[in-house]
């Protein structure tokens, strides 16, 4: 997913959206193309630890808050931050609280809410519930189901099988960097069968046809 968002160089292949090849070679270009990314390492690459919730909530959309004098419109940022605090059920004393003081689950809610402010066409998520409490994990999953039902495009990377079965419509399995299986419909798939592909014990004969879907 880092390559899809322009954080890593793609040695080969291309990104195709709605039948058209697009240039996602940098995060800026990916964002212009409607992509958003929730990274795996929340503290290392997801939050601005020394900044408050307001800045963290608005940072992916910061250009929209710059006024004619080149200054940030603080009032607009406050309004959008309040909307996200309510929409994502973020537990915080106020939006001026440093994000590092929040629980892991609430930090993750801020990160996801940040990207939802951009109304992305494709939301990329790398282990979005890892390291968060049970309540926050369930809220995040329910939010993703809501987005999915609203026809948002979601690409989820997860090693949590319960999460995979709850959220995914289609499933692409990788082992040591290679695609080993593709399931168009996971309704009849069970954890034991899926586990064999995840461990590299089995693979479908030909998954090359779905590598660029």
């Amino acid at each position: 997913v880092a390559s899809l968002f322009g954080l890593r160089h793609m040695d080969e292949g291309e990104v195709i959206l709605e039948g058209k090849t697009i240039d996602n070679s940098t995060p800026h270009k990916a964002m212009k193309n409607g992509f958003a990314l929730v990274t795996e390492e929340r503290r290392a690459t997801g939050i601005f630890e020394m900044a408050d919730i307001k800045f963290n909530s608005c940072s992916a959309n910061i250009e929209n808050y710059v006024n004619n004098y080149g200054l940030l419109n603080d009032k607009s940022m406050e309004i959008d931050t309040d909307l996200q605090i309510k929409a994502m059920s973020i537990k915080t004393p106020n939006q001026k609280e440093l994000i590092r003081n929040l629980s892991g689950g609430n930090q993750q809610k801020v990160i996801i809410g940040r990207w939802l402010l951009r109304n992305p066409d494709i939301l990329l998520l790398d282990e979005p519930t890892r390291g968060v409490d049970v309540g926050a994990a369930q809220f995040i999953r329910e939010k993703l189901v809501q987005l999915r039902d609203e026809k948002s495009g979601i690409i989820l990377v997860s090693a949590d099988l319960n999460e995979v079965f709850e959220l995914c419509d289609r499933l692409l399995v990788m082992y040591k960097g290679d695609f080993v299986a593709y399931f168009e419909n996971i309704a009849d798939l069970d954890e034991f069968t899926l586990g064999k592909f995840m461990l590299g014990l089995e693979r479908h004969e030909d998954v090359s046809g779905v590598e660029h879907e």
Side-chain angles (χ1 to χ4, degrees):
V1 289
S3 296
L4 292 176
F5 195 68
L7 286 174
R8 292 182 181 175
H9 174 70
M10 293 176 61
D11 294 327
E12 58 181 322
E14 56 189 356
V15 180
I16 299 174
L17 180 63
E18 296 181 347
K20 296 180 180 180
T21 300
I22 60 174
D23 180 6
N24 276 12
S25 57
T26 68
H28 179 69
K29 290 178 179 178
M31 290 166 67
K32 288 187 67 175
N33 288 327
F35 282 66
L37 172 64
V38 177
T39 60
E40 179 181 4
E41 299 296 334
R42 178 176 60 253
R43 285 192 172 275
T45 58
I47 64 172
F48 297 93
E49 193 173 21
M50 300 303 294
D52 60 19
I53 294 171
K54 178 173 66 178
F55 180 81
N56 273 277
S57 294
C58 300
S59 58
N61 219 24
I62 204 72
E63 69 276 7
N64 286 354
Y65 303 108
V66 179
N67 62 26
N68 294 333
Y69 302 100
L71 302 175
L72 292 176
N73 187 325
D74 201 56
K75 185 62 177 178
S76 293
M77 292 175 68
E78 288 178 357
I79 291 173
D80 281 351
T81 301
D82 274 337
L83 288 174
Q84 288 309 308
I85 287 174
K86 294 174 182 177
M88 298 299 296
S89 295
I90 298 166
K91 296 179 181 178
T92 176
N94 55 68
Q95 58 180 254
K96 294 182 179 180
E97 185 78 13
L98 294 181
I99 195 168
R100 68 179 183 179
N101 294 334
L102 300 187
S103 68
N106 283 294
Q107 289 177 0
Q108 192 75 328
K109 289 179 182 180
V110 171
I111 295 169
I112 295 173
R114 165 202 301 167
W115 289 112
L116 294 185
L117 279 174
R118 293 187 64 88
N119 295 313
D121 296 316
I122 305 293
L123 180 60
L124 310 169
L125 302 113
D126 194 349
E127 303 288 358
T129 61
R130 176 180 290 176
V132 307
D133 61 86
V134 175
Q138 187 57 38
F139 179 89
I140 290 170
R141 288 170 181 153
E142 290 173 358
K143 176 61 70 172
L144 295 180
V145 169
Q146 176 188 336
L147 293 170
R148 181 196 66 190
D149 292 345
E150 292 172 354
K151 306 304 180 183
S152 296
I154 297 176
I155 297 178
L156 170 71
V157 176
S158 179
D160 184 330
L161 296 188
N162 290 328
E163 188 165 84
V164 167
F165 281 105
E166 180 180 351
L167 300 179
C168 295
D169 298 311
R170 297 185 295 171
L171 185 60
L172 191 59
V173 184
M174 297 186 72
Y175 178 74
K176 292 186 176 181
D178 292 328
F179 294 110
V180 296
Y182 174 70
F183 299 93
E184 178 72 30
N185 187 336
I186 67 171
D188 298 322
L189 184 63
D190 59 76
E191 293 186 10
F192 178 74
T193 301
L194 178 58
K196 289 190 290 185
F197 289 100
M198 293 176 67
L199 293 172
L201 301 176
E202 291 189 15
R203 65 178 297 144
H204 288 162
E205 290 186 5
D206 184 16
V207 291
S208 59
V210 301
E211 290 187 11
H212 301 294
E213 286 193 1

